[in-house]
Amino acid sequence: MATVQTPAAAPAAPAASAPSTAPPQTSSNGANGNRPKRPNPNPNSSSNRNWKQKKTKREKNITEGSSEEVLRHDIEALLASRKSETSGEEATTTTTDAQEEATEEETLPAEGTETEVEVLELSSTGDGLAMRPGSDQVYVVPFTVPGDVARVKVFRHLRREKQTVADFVSVVKPSPLRDDARIQCKYFASCGGCQFQMLDYAEQLRRKRAIVDKAFRNFANLPAELVPAVLDTVGSPLQYGYRTKLTPHFDGPPGFRPHRQELQGVENLPPYTVRAESEFGIDIKTCETDSKATTHEYIRDHHFTNPAGSFFQNNNSILPIFTDYIKQHVLPPASPSSSSSSSSSSPSSEIKYLIDAYSGSGLFTITLASVFQHSTGIDIAADSIASARQNAALNGLGEDRCKFIAADAGQLFKSVEYNPDQTTVILDPPRKGCDADFLGQLRRFGPRRVVYVSCNVHTQARDVGVLVRGEGDGRRYEIESLRGFDFFPQTGHVEGVAVLNRVEE
């Protein structure tokens, strides 16, 4: 039984009344004037020229790869493409200094007023990028898709960035891509958790492939020939009702604190329960509000327990597909010549060991243990290591098959005695990605193969670029494949998997 978890202070009933599709991190989307945590604009102040979109709590420690930087790249690309389209006309037009100055001081709609814009592109943040006729100001509008003509409410102009932050009001003329009959959540466009419910799911997956592609073009700092074509995004079996953990951003009534026994012992489906069907069976997701309670997750034949408040992947419907893919790619593909000779000489047979960096509660260490002679999970969090050891025992794995180490961040590979020529390393860092010190340690250890899993494909692209360029001490790598997984349907979020091989020099 999978478990939906909510904070103790939050009322559970509203959270379970509609499927939740909010991603682990959202841009500052909102609608009808409901954008959260914005400073009150002062129309008479010039300080708005220096205003920047606030980073979410999860992004405060992210430099490269933040939503703000991703959005900036997408706006610059749109402006460059528009300039290229009109360059022929500009070449035959004489522009005076006065005209240029007038263009720079373009009159924009007053903040707080409404205007109509045409949506030209989707940002990797999930926001529509729109413009008004004859203007080079880009309006960032949530809940829109290319081809929409939308009515928006202007929130803030950022003239230096040629960017206007706006709230979605209504669709004046729908795009051929838009079908509002697809929307299944009554909170869509008032909750900022998802952006794509009006899009066909196949189109969502195509957009997410483009997000991965742009991430590596904008953040990897690599020549195009070193980056392979991004493979098609793998879809989620459940496109609604898939979440196993959520955090409602509202307070319950004074003194409200539901008790676990109130949610149990009811025939059929108890209150605060969601029933979800997929190709892997039926999930009954019940609400757990105690962050210290034990929750259970099942991935094929593997069983995991975790404290409810700890991290575990939030879409268990895709986890069997996802872990199967990692298992299929954790070893190098067998060369054609090895198929007719002894398997002991194939590249895959030469790898015997796994290091699961950022191992958490042991998802990859445990699901991949059957592939390797021995595996080691490493994490700096002692409580995660304790959970991983419990999960290993729960799945019948002793220390002769895998072990877990709570390591100091600066010496993550110190306690590992594996031969790097026979080792694969799996990385699954937080959204900020890997820091320079860790990447240096990894390159100096020099494993034969690296599988990098990431919930932020932009910081992943940055880090993969470091491994491929191979500057300074340590080994360098080449990219074998790039692919996205749709852990959060209806949102602009995509999980990335990059497979790399050590360059033999």
Side-chain angles (χ1 to χ4, degrees):
M1 179 179 292
T3 304
V4 176
Q5 305 146 4
T6 58
S17 63
S20 171
T21 55
Q25 165 268 330
T26 63
S27 57
S28 58
N29 289 343
N32 305 320
N34 291 330
R35 286 181 184 267
K37 297 184 180 180
R38 280 198 184 146
N40 292 326
N42 179 359
N44 298 319
S45 171
S46 61
S47 63
N48 61 7
R49 286 175 171 264
N50 298 319
W51 180 83
K52 296 288 186 183
Q53 176 179 319
K54 282 191 175 182
K55 293 180 180 179
T56 65
K57 182 178 180 181
R58 291 177 181 268
E59 284 201 323
K60 286 184 177 178
N61 58 357
I62 298 178
T63 51
E64 295 173 292
S66 68
S67 290
E68 182 182 70
E69 190 172 6
V70 169
L71 183 61
R72 179 177 61 80
H73 274 284
D74 288 343
I75 289 174
E76 289 176 352
L78 175 60
L79 290 172
S81 68
R82 299 287 287 181
K83 184 176 181 180
S84 176
E85 289 172 5
T86 60
S87 60
E89 296 177 7
E90 292 175 353
T92 59
T93 303
T94 301
T95 305
T96 66
D97 291 342
Q99 287 174 325
E100 290 179 353
E101 185 175 348
T103 300
E104 291 176 3
E105 297 301 325
E106 173 189 348
T107 300
L108 300 174
E111 293 170 357
T113 64
E114 296 184 2
T115 188
E116 289 185 8
V117 295
E118 179 183 1
V119 183
L120 303 172
E121 190 53 85
L122 265 180
S123 170
S124 293
T125 63
D127 296 306
L129 302 181
M131 300 181 82
R132 298 169 72 227
S135 171
D136 64 352
Q137 188 81 358
V138 177
Y139 291 72
V140 182
V141 187
F143 313 113
T144 58
V145 295
D148 279 341
V149 176
R151 189 157 190 83
V152 303
K153 185 176 183 180
V154 174
F155 177 77
R156 184 64 60 91
H157 294 300
L158 309 174
R159 287 184 177 271
R160 291 180 181 175
E161 291 85 358
K162 293 190 178 296
Q163 174 185 345
T164 292
V165 187
D167 287 321
F168 171 76
V169 175
S170 63
V171 174
V172 177
K173 180 181 177 182
S175 164
L177 296 174
R178 173 184 285 274
D179 181 359
D180 287 345
R182 297 188 179 106
I183 297 172
Q184 297 185 28
C185 178
K186 65 183 179 180
Y187 300 110
F188 181 71
S190 60
C191 165
C194 55
Q195 305 99 330
F196 291 168
Q197 291 189 39
M198 77 294 279
L199 285 176
D200 176 70
Y201 189 56
E203 179 66 20
Q204 293 186 35
L205 297 181
R206 285 191 287 271
R207 295 284 170 176
K208 295 186 181 192
R209 180 183 178 278
I211 288 172
V212 179
D213 180 67
K214 286 195 294 181
F216 277 81
R217 280 193 277 119
N218 292 337
F219 292 93
N221 193 22
L222 292 172
E225 61 269 20
L226 296 184
V227 181
V230 177
L231 301 172
D232 290 340
T233 303
V234 176
S236 172
L238 287 179
Q239 295 154 33
Y240 282 87
Y242 54 78
R243 287 205 63 134
T244 56
K245 185 173 182 179
L246 55 88
T247 306
H249 293 279
F250 56 86
D251 296 325
F256 177 85
R257 190 176 183 86
H259 298 287
R260 293 181 63 197
Q261 57 266 30
E262 295 174 1
L263 308 179
Q264 300 174 349
V266 181
E267 291 183 2
N268 300 319
L269 291 183
Y272 319 134
T273 300
V274 174
R275 183 180 189 273
E277 296 185 25
S278 75
E279 61 182 286
F280 300 104
I282 299 174
D283 283 331
I284 305 297
K285 302 180 180 180
T286 60
C287 179
E288 177 55 73
T289 61
D290 181 358
S291 64
K292 296 181 181 179
T294 298
T295 58
H296 299 261
E297 296 284 352
Y298 297 89
I299 306 172
R300 298 217 187 274
D301 297 330
H302 296 99
H303 181 191
F304 294 86
T305 61
N306 299 277
S310 66
F311 173 78
F312 198 82
Q313 294 288 352
N314 285 1
N315 180 351
N316 57 9
S317 78
I318 199 174
L319 282 178
I321 301 171
F322 180 65
T323 53
D324 285 353
Y325 182 87
I326 300 299
K327 182 177 287 188
Q328 293 162 9
H329 291 80
V330 75
L331 299 177
S335 61
S337 60
S338 67
S339 60
S340 59
S341 60
S342 171
S343 61
S344 62
S345 63
S346 68
S348 60
S349 67
E350 295 172 5
I351 293 186
K352 302 176 181 179
Y353 307 109
L354 172 71
I355 297 175
D356 180 8
Y358 306 93
S359 61
S361 58
L363 172 65
F364 295 123
T365 314
I366 291 168
T367 57
L368 297 173
S370 62
V371 178
F372 299 94
Q373 288 186 12
H374 198 266
S375 304
T376 297
I378 305 175
D379 205 290
I380 62 173
D383 55 348
S384 294
I385 293 299
S387 290
R389 287 171 178 162
Q390 292 173 3
N391 286 328
L394 186 64
N395 287 275
L397 296 171
E399 287 205 1
D400 61 321
R401 297 302 309 282
C402 66
K403 66 178 181 178
F404 295 90
I405 302 172
D408 179 81
Q411 297 179 318
L412 284 172
F413 298 97
K414 182 178 180 180
S415 302
V416 177
E417 298 178 354
Y418 300 155
N419 180 344
D421 294 340
Q422 299 176 316
T423 302
T424 291
V425 170
I426 286 188
L427 312 178
D428 188 8
R431 290 191 60 78
K432 68 177 181 177
C434 305
D435 60 28
D437 179 69
F438 174 84
L439 292 174
Q441 292 181 60
L442 177 65
R443 290 185 54 235
R444 288 190 293 275
F445 178 73
R448 174 81 170 273
R449 191 166 174 88
V450 173
V451 178
Y452 191 146
V453 177
S454 178
C455 58
N456 184 339
V457 293
H458 307 95
T459 54
Q460 179 190 47
R462 176 201 67 200
D463 296 345
V464 168
V466 172
L467 297 177
V468 172
R469 291 193 303 276
E471 298 161 351
D473 294 337
R475 306 301 292 267
R476 65 185 183 90
Y477 290 78
E478 59 185 1
I479 306 171
E480 178 179 299
S481 64
L482 300 171
R483 173 160 251 158
F485 284 77
D486 192 17
F487 272 70
F488 295 91
Q490 320 306 330
T491 78
H493 177 82
V494 59
E495 196 96 355
V497 177
V499 180
L500 299 96
N501 292 307
R502 190 181 67 195
V503 175
E504 303 303 331
E505 297 174 315

Short mmCIF file of all heavy atoms in Angstrom, two decimals, residues 207-234:
data_model
loop_
_atom_site.label_atom_id
_atom_site.label_comp_id
_atom_site.label_asym_id
_atom_site.label_seq_id
_atom_site.Cartn_x
_atom_site.Cartn_y
_atom_site.Cartn_z
N ARG A 207 7.42 17.91 -25.37
CA ARG A 207 7.92 19.15 -24.75
C ARG A 207 9.02 18.83 -23.73
O ARG A 207 9.99 19.58 -23.59
CB ARG A 207 6.77 19.90 -24.09
CG ARG A 207 5.72 20.41 -25.06
CD ARG A 207 6.19 21.63 -25.80
NE ARG A 207 5.29 21.98 -26.90
CZ ARG A 207 5.44 23.07 -27.65
NH1 ARG A 207 6.45 23.90 -27.43
NH2 ARG A 207 4.61 23.32 -28.64
N LYS A 208 8.87 17.75 -23.02
CA LYS A 208 9.86 17.42 -21.99
C LYS A 208 11.17 16.93 -22.61
O LYS A 208 12.25 17.15 -22.05
CB LYS A 208 9.27 16.42 -21.01
CG LYS A 208 8.11 17.05 -20.23
CD LYS A 208 7.55 16.21 -19.13
CE LYS A 208 6.39 16.96 -18.48
NZ LYS A 208 5.95 16.34 -17.23
N ARG A 209 11.07 16.26 -23.75
CA ARG A 209 12.30 15.92 -24.47
C ARG A 209 13.03 17.19 -24.86
O ARG A 209 14.27 17.27 -24.76
CB ARG A 209 11.96 15.09 -25.71
CG ARG A 209 13.17 14.70 -26.53
CD ARG A 209 12.76 13.93 -27.78
NE ARG A 209 13.92 13.60 -28.60
CZ ARG A 209 14.48 14.44 -29.47
NH1 ARG A 209 14.00 15.66 -29.63
NH2 ARG A 209 15.54 14.06 -30.17
N ALA A 210 12.28 18.22 -25.30
CA ALA A 210 12.89 19.49 -25.67
C ALA A 210 13.53 20.16 -24.46
O ALA A 210 14.56 20.84 -24.59
CB ALA A 210 11.85 20.41 -26.30
N ILE A 211 12.94 20.00 -23.27
CA ILE A 211 13.52 20.59 -22.06
C ILE A 211 14.89 20.00 -21.78
O ILE A 211 15.86 20.71 -21.46
CB ILE A 211 12.57 20.37 -20.86
CG1 ILE A 211 11.32 21.26 -20.99
CG2 ILE A 211 13.29 20.67 -19.54
CD1 ILE A 211 10.25 20.98 -19.96
N VAL A 212 15.02 18.67 -21.91
CA VAL A 212 16.32 18.03 -21.70
C VAL A 212 17.32 18.51 -22.75
O VAL A 212 18.48 18.83 -22.44
CB VAL A 212 16.18 16.49 -21.75
CG1 VAL A 212 17.55 15.83 -21.55
CG2 VAL A 212 15.20 16.00 -20.69
N ASP A 213 16.87 18.58 -23.99
CA ASP A 213 17.74 19.03 -25.08
C ASP A 213 18.26 20.45 -24.82
O ASP A 213 19.46 20.72 -24.94
CB ASP A 213 16.98 18.96 -26.40
CG ASP A 213 17.83 19.41 -27.58
OD1 ASP A 213 18.79 18.71 -27.91
OD2 ASP A 213 17.54 20.48 -28.15
N LYS A 214 17.36 21.36 -24.44
CA LYS A 214 17.77 22.75 -24.17
C LYS A 214 18.70 22.83 -22.96
O LYS A 214 19.62 23.66 -22.92
CB LYS A 214 16.54 23.63 -23.95
CG LYS A 214 15.77 23.94 -25.22
CD LYS A 214 14.79 25.09 -25.02
CE LYS A 214 13.70 24.74 -24.06
NZ LYS A 214 12.73 25.85 -23.89
N ALA A 215 18.45 21.99 -21.96
CA ALA A 215 19.30 22.00 -20.77
C ALA A 215 20.75 21.73 -21.14
O ALA A 215 21.68 22.41 -20.67
CB ALA A 215 18.81 20.98 -19.76
N PHE A 216 20.98 20.76 -22.01
CA PHE A 216 22.35 20.42 -22.38
C PHE A 216 22.94 21.44 -23.35
O PHE A 216 24.15 21.67 -23.37
CB PHE A 216 22.43 19.00 -22.92
CG PHE A 216 22.51 17.98 -21.82
CD1 PHE A 216 21.37 17.57 -21.15
CD2 PHE A 216 23.73 17.48 -21.41
CE1 PHE A 216 21.45 16.67 -20.10
CE2 PHE A 216 23.83 16.58 -20.37
CZ PHE A 216 22.68 16.17 -19.71
N ARG A 217 22.10 22.08 -24.15
CA ARG A 217 22.61 23.15 -25.01
C ARG A 217 22.99 24.40 -24.20
O ARG A 217 23.97 25.07 -24.51
CB ARG A 217 21.57 23.52 -26.07
CG ARG A 217 21.54 22.55 -27.24
CD ARG A 217 20.73 23.08 -28.40
NE ARG A 217 19.31 22.84 -28.23
CZ ARG A 217 18.38 23.77 -28.17
NH1 ARG A 217 18.72 25.05 -28.24
NH2 ARG A 217 17.10 23.47 -28.05
N ASN A 218 22.22 24.69 -23.15
CA ASN A 218 22.42 25.94 -22.41
C ASN A 218 23.38 25.83 -21.24
O ASN A 218 23.97 26.83 -20.83
CB ASN A 218 21.07 26.45 -21.90
CG ASN A 218 20.15 26.91 -23.01
OD1 ASN A 218 20.60 27.26 -24.10
ND2 ASN A 218 18.86 26.91 -22.75
N PHE A 219 23.53 24.64 -20.66
CA PHE A 219 24.26 24.55 -19.40
C PHE A 219 25.46 23.60 -19.41
O PHE A 219 26.27 23.64 -18.50
CB PHE A 219 23.30 24.13 -18.27
CG PHE A 219 22.29 25.18 -17.93
CD1 PHE A 219 21.04 25.17 -18.53
CD2 PHE A 219 22.58 26.19 -17.04
CE1 PHE A 219 20.10 26.14 -18.23
CE2 PHE A 219 21.66 27.17 -16.73
CZ PHE A 219 20.40 27.15 -17.34
N ALA A 220 25.57 22.74 -20.42
CA ALA A 220 26.67 21.76 -20.40
C ALA A 220 28.00 22.37 -20.83
O ALA A 220 29.06 21.85 -20.50
CB ALA A 220 26.33 20.57 -21.30
N ASN A 221 27.96 23.48 -21.60
CA ASN A 221 29.18 24.11 -22.10
C ASN A 221 30.04 23.10 -22.87
O ASN A 221 31.24 22.97 -22.66
CB ASN A 221 29.99 24.72 -20.94
CG ASN A 221 31.09 25.64 -21.42
OD1 ASN A 221 31.05 26.16 -22.55
ND2 ASN A 221 32.10 25.84 -20.59
N LEU A 222 29.36 22.37 -23.78
CA LEU A 222 30.04 21.36 -24.59
C LEU A 222 29.76 21.60 -26.06
O LEU A 222 28.68 22.08 -26.42
CB LEU A 222 29.52 19.95 -24.22
CG LEU A 222 29.86 19.40 -22.84
CD1 LEU A 222 29.11 18.10 -22.61
CD2 LEU A 222 31.36 19.21 -22.68
N PRO A 223 30.69 21.25 -26.94
CA PRO A 223 30.40 21.29 -28.38
C PRO A 223 29.24 20.36 -28.70
O PRO A 223 29.09 19.30 -28.09
CB PRO A 223 31.70 20.81 -29.02
CG PRO A 223 32.75 20.96 -27.97
CD PRO A 223 32.07 20.80 -26.66
N ALA A 224 28.45 20.74 -29.69
CA ALA A 224 27.26 19.96 -30.03
C ALA A 224 27.60 18.51 -30.37
O ALA A 224 26.82 17.59 -30.07
CB ALA A 224 26.53 20.62 -31.20
N GLU A 225 28.75 18.28 -30.97
CA GLU A 225 29.10 16.92 -31.39
C GLU A 225 29.37 15.99 -30.21
O GLU A 225 29.41 14.75 -30.38
CB GLU A 225 30.30 16.93 -32.32
CG GLU A 225 31.59 17.48 -31.73
CD GLU A 225 31.76 18.99 -31.96
OE1 GLU A 225 30.73 19.65 -32.24
OE2 GLU A 225 32.89 19.47 -31.87
N LEU A 226 29.56 16.53 -29.02
CA LEU A 226 29.80 15.69 -27.84
C LEU A 226 28.52 15.35 -27.09
O LEU A 226 28.57 14.63 -26.09
CB LEU A 226 30.79 16.39 -26.89
CG LEU A 226 32.20 16.63 -27.43
CD1 LEU A 226 33.09 17.24 -26.36
CD2 LEU A 226 32.81 15.33 -27.97
N VAL A 227 27.39 15.88 -27.55
CA VAL A 227 26.11 15.63 -26.88
C VAL A 227 25.22 14.83 -27.82
O VAL A 227 24.81 15.32 -28.86
CB VAL A 227 25.42 16.95 -26.49
CG1 VAL A 227 24.09 16.66 -25.79
CG2 VAL A 227 26.33 17.80 -25.60
N PRO A 228 24.91 13.59 -27.49
CA PRO A 228 24.06 12.78 -28.38
C PRO A 228 22.63 13.29 -28.39
O PRO A 228 22.20 14.03 -27.49
CB PRO A 228 24.15 11.38 -27.76
CG PRO A 228 24.43 11.63 -26.31
CD PRO A 228 25.30 12.86 -26.26
N ALA A 229 21.88 12.89 -29.41
CA ALA A 229 20.46 13.26 -29.48
C ALA A 229 19.73 12.70 -28.27
O ALA A 229 19.95 11.56 -27.85
CB ALA A 229 19.86 12.72 -30.77
N VAL A 230 18.86 13.53 -27.70
CA VAL A 230 18.09 13.10 -26.52
C VAL A 230 17.03 12.10 -26.95
O VAL A 230 16.30 12.33 -27.93
CB VAL A 230 17.44 14.33 -25.84
CG1 VAL A 230 16.57 13.89 -24.66
CG2 VAL A 230 18.51 15.32 -25.39
N LEU A 231 16.93 11.00 -26.23
CA LEU A 231 15.94 9.98 -26.54
C LEU A 231 14.55 10.42 -26.09
O LEU A 231 14.40 11.34 -25.29
CB LEU A 231 16.33 8.66 -25.85
CG LEU A 231 17.70 8.09 -26.24
CD1 LEU A 231 18.05 6.90 -25.35
CD2 LEU A 231 17.72 7.70 -27.71
N ASP A 232 13.53 9.75 -26.61
CA ASP A 232 12.15 10.11 -26.26
C ASP A 232 11.91 9.97 -24.77
O ASP A 232 12.43 9.03 -24.12
CB ASP A 232 11.16 9.21 -27.01
CG ASP A 232 11.14 9.51 -28.50
OD1 ASP A 232 11.57 10.60 -28.90
OD2 ASP A 232 10.67 8.64 -29.26
N THR A 233 11.12 10.87 -24.22
CA THR A 233 10.78 10.84 -22.80
C THR A 233 9.89 9.63 -22.49
O THR A 233 8.94 9.35 -23.22
CB THR A 233 10.05 12.13 -22.40
OG1 THR A 233 10.88 13.25 -22.72
CG2 THR A 233 9.75 12.14 -20.90
N VAL A 234 10.20 8.94 -21.41
CA VAL A 234 9.40 7.79 -20.98
C VAL A 234 8.23 8.30 -20.15
O VAL A 234 8.42 9.01 -19.16
CB VAL A 234 10.25 6.80 -20.17
CG1 VAL A 234 9.39 5.65 -19.64
CG2 VAL A 234 11.41 6.27 -21.02
#
